[in-house]
Amino acid sequence: MCRIFIQGKIHPEIQVGMREIPLNDKEIPSLSIYDTHSNNVHPIRSAWPKPAKDLTQRQAAQKGIITPEMEYAAIREGVAPEIVLKELMSGKAVLPANRKHPECEPMIIGSKFLVKINANIGNSALGSSIEEEVEKMRYAVKLGADTVMDLSTGKNIHETREAILRSCPVPIGTVPIYQTLERGDLSWENFRDTLIEQAEQGVDYFTIHAGLLKDYIPLALKRTTGIVSRGGSLMACWMQTNKQENFLYTHFKEICEILRAYDIAISLGDGLRPGCIADSNDEAQFAELKTLGELTKIAWDLGVQVLIEGPGHVPLNKIKENMDLQLELCHGAPFYTLGPLVTDIAPGYDHITSGIGAAVIGMLGTAMLCYVTPKEHLGLPNKEDVRTGVITYKLAAHAADIAKGNEQALLRDKALSRARFDFRWEDQFALSLDPELARSYHDESSHSKFCSMCGPNFCAMRITQKML
C-alpha cells in the first residue's frame, strides 16, 4: 500500500491524497481507496485561492463557483465537481472546512456520497491528558474516521483542542456549551465568546442545541430516561431555572453570522434524542425535529451549511420513520445519527447494537454515522475502544454504501472476494478494514492454500477450483 496524489484539473494547485493498493490480480491490478490518513499533516489550504468576498462553500456553490475544496472532495469521491457543487447548493450536503483550519483535507457529507463516520474523543473531569486525546485522534483517523468530535469536559479544554486541530487532517467538531460552563455561568454572552474562541482556533462544525424549546421539556420529563443529551439537559435546566426560552434559539441568527464569517457548518443538535427503546419516535423527539427544520431554512438563508443530528435508541422497525420525517421536516439537509441503537440490553456491546441500526439508517439515506464504542453508557473510551468503534462503524458505513450501489464499495468487495478464492492472503489483508487483525488471525494456524477452520480436505474453494 502507498499514498498517491491526484492533481486537480480546475485547480491544479491541489494534490488529493489517496491510498493505492497494488494487487496480484490481472482483472483488478490495483485499487485506489478513499484515505483519511496523512503522514504529513500541514496547512495545505493556506495557498489555495479563496472565493471572492469570503463566500462560504454554500454561497460559492449558489453562485456556480467550484472552489478548490469542492474539487478536492469530488476527486476523493470519484465524482464530477459539478455534483459536489449541486449538492452544496441545494443544502443536501455539507463541506465542513473552517478557514482557520488549513490542515483540514476537504471532504463532503451527503447522501449522494460515501457514508461517512465520526469518532468522538475528549477528556473528562476524571481523566485523560492532552497527549492521550491527540493519540486517540490520530489513531481514529488512521483507521478511517472521516471527522472527529472533541467532546472534552475536563481540564485544559482550549489547549487540548488546539493540539488536536494542529495535528488533524479531517474536520473537527465540538459542542461549545461544554466549554461555556468552564468559563463561568451558562449565558448567551459566555456562549458567544466561546463560539468565537473555538471558531478562531479552527473548529469546522459545531453541535448547537437550538431546537430544544421550553414547551418541549414537559414532554421529555414523561419519558423513561428523560433527556440523555448532555447539551440538551444543560439547556433544559437553564430554561427551567431562568424561566426563559432557549438563548440558542433566540440568538440563532447571531450564531449563524459568526459561523458564516469562518465558514463553519452547524450541526443542529438533537437535545431530545431518545435514550432508550421505550422513548423512541415520541412526541418530544419529533417536536424538536420540526424546529430543527425551521432553523435549517434560517441558516441556509444566511449562507451557513447545515447538518441535522438524529437518534439515539430506535428499534429496527422504527428507523425508516426517522429518516422519512427528517427528510420531510428538514428539507433534505444531511442527517447525522448516533447509531441508532436497536436494543438497550447490551452494555459492553453497544458498538454492535448501534452498528446494526447505523447500517440500516445509512442505507436509507443518512449521510454520517457517529460511532459508538464498547464503553458507551459505561466509561471513557481508551485507544482500543476507539479502534473497535471506528472499525465497527466503517463496516456499517460500507454495508450502507453497498446497499446504495456505490461503485467504489462494490469494486473493493469484488477485489477481496477474488483474492479470497485465489488464496491471495496478502491481497485479502490489504483490502480488509483491519489488515492487522486479519493477518494476526490467519497467522495463528492457517496455511497458504487453506485456513485452519476447514483444513486441507474440506475447503470448499479448493474443491471448487479442482472442478474448474
Side-chain angles (χ1 to χ4, degrees), residues 228-239:
V228 298
S229 160
R230 289 192 298 198
S233 64
L234 290 168
M235 206 64 247
C237 186
W238 182 90
M239 285 188 276

Side-chain angles (χ1 to χ4, degrees), residues 25 56 67 84 111 116 258 286 435:
D25 186 330
T56 65
T67 65
V84 170
S111 60
K116 304 304 188 297
I258 294 170
F286 290 150

Side-chain angles (χ1 to χ4, degrees), residues 162-431:
E162 181 67 21
I164 290 169
L165 279 161
R166 302 288 75 84
S167 310
C168 188
V170 304
I172 292 291
T174 67
V175 185
I177 199 170
Y178 298 164
Q179 192 185 4
T180 302
L181 284 177
E182 185 192 45
R183 286 176 170 273
D185 65 315
L186 190 58
S187 66
W188 160 244
E189 290 75 18
N190 270 338
F191 184 87
R192 178 198 59 210
D193 293 346
T194 300
L195 210 60
I196 293 170
E197 175 190 329
Q198 296 193 11
E200 279 288 328
Q201 280 186 287
V203 174
D204 301 288
Y205 66 98
F206 290 130
T207 290
I208 297 179
H209 301 89
L212 200 174
L213 303 187
K214 189 157 54 102
D215 289 346
Y216 304 159
I217 297 174
L219 301 176
L221 295 182
K222 298 176 186 177
R223 291 169 151 185
T224 300
T225 55
I227 300 173
V228 298
S229 160
R230 289 192 298 198
S233 64
L234 290 168
M235 206 64 247
C237 186
W238 182 90
M239 285 188 276
Q240 279 210 327
T241 302
N242 292 277
K243 301 188 183 335
Q244 295 180 39
E245 188 54 273
N246 184 344
F247 62 74
L248 302 174
Y249 179 80
T250 58
H251 289 275
F252 189 69
K253 287 188 177 180
E254 294 166 75
I255 290 171
C256 288
E257 287 165 1
I258 294 170
L259 270 54
R260 180 181 60 201
Y262 296 86
D263 197 3
I264 297 168
I266 188 168
S267 187
L268 289 170
D270 54 340
L272 296 179
R273 69 175 179 268
C276 65
I277 295 299
D279 296 337
S280 63
N281 293 27
D282 69 352
E283 190 179 3
Q285 179 192 344
F286 290 150
E288 182 185 34
L289 185 64
K290 184 178 179 182
T291 303
L292 298 186
E294 296 166 3
L295 295 173
T296 296
K297 283 195 168 183
I298 295 171
W300 280 350
D301 288 344
L302 292 170
V304 176
Q305 303 178 76
V306 179
L307 282 163
I308 305 293
E309 294 190 10
H313 294 240
V314 180
L316 280 169
N317 59 305
K318 292 185 178 181
I319 289 177
K320 187 175 186 300
E321 183 183 11
N322 276 267
M323 191 72 245
D324 291 346
L325 267 179
Q326 189 272 340
L327 290 173
E328 176 189 340
L329 296 176
C330 299
H331 324 291
F335 210 16
Y336 168 32
T337 66
L338 181 73
L341 290 78
V342 297
T343 179
D344 300 335
I345 66 164
Y349 296 92
D350 278 331
H351 59 300
I352 298 174
T353 66
S354 65
I356 294 167
V360 173
I361 206 164
M363 173 187 69
L364 294 172
T366 286
M368 186 160 74
L369 308 168
C370 184
Y371 88 167
V372 172
T373 76
K375 291 277 180 64
E376 187 76 12
H377 303 114
L378 301 172
L380 185 69
N382 60 27
K383 184 178 173 181
E384 194 53 40
D385 299 319
V386 167
R387 179 192 190 105
T388 302
V390 170
I391 295 298
T392 301
Y393 269 69
K394 290 299 286 185
L395 174 59
H398 186 79
D401 289 329
I402 290 288
K404 290 165 64 176
N406 183 278
E407 292 184 4
Q408 286 189 47
L410 288 164
L411 183 60
R412 184 172 179 177
D413 272 48
K414 181 179 180 180
L416 195 144
S417 296
R418 287 173 58 85
R420 180 172 288 151
F421 188 72
D422 293 341
F423 296 97
R424 286 183 280 114
W425 299 106
E426 291 300 323
D427 286 354
Q428 286 188 60
F429 303 150
L431 288 162

Side-chain angles (χ1 to χ4, degrees), residues 56-108:
T56 65
Q57 296 296 324
R58 172 172 170 78
Q59 290 171 324
Q62 289 175 316
K63 290 182 178 293
I65 300 170
I66 295 175
T67 65
E69 286 83 358
M70 292 180 203
E71 186 179 18
Y72 195 105
I75 292 171
R76 297 181 94 174
E77 297 284 338
V79 302
E82 290 76 13
I83 294 175
V84 170
L85 181 144
K86 180 182 177 182
E87 294 299 294
L88 286 173
M89 180 175 58
S90 69
K92 293 179 180 179
V94 299
L95 198 164
N98 186 337
R99 298 187 184 100
K100 299 281 187 174
H101 187 194
E103 299 89 351
C104 179
E105 298 181 8
M107 51 85 76
I108 190 87

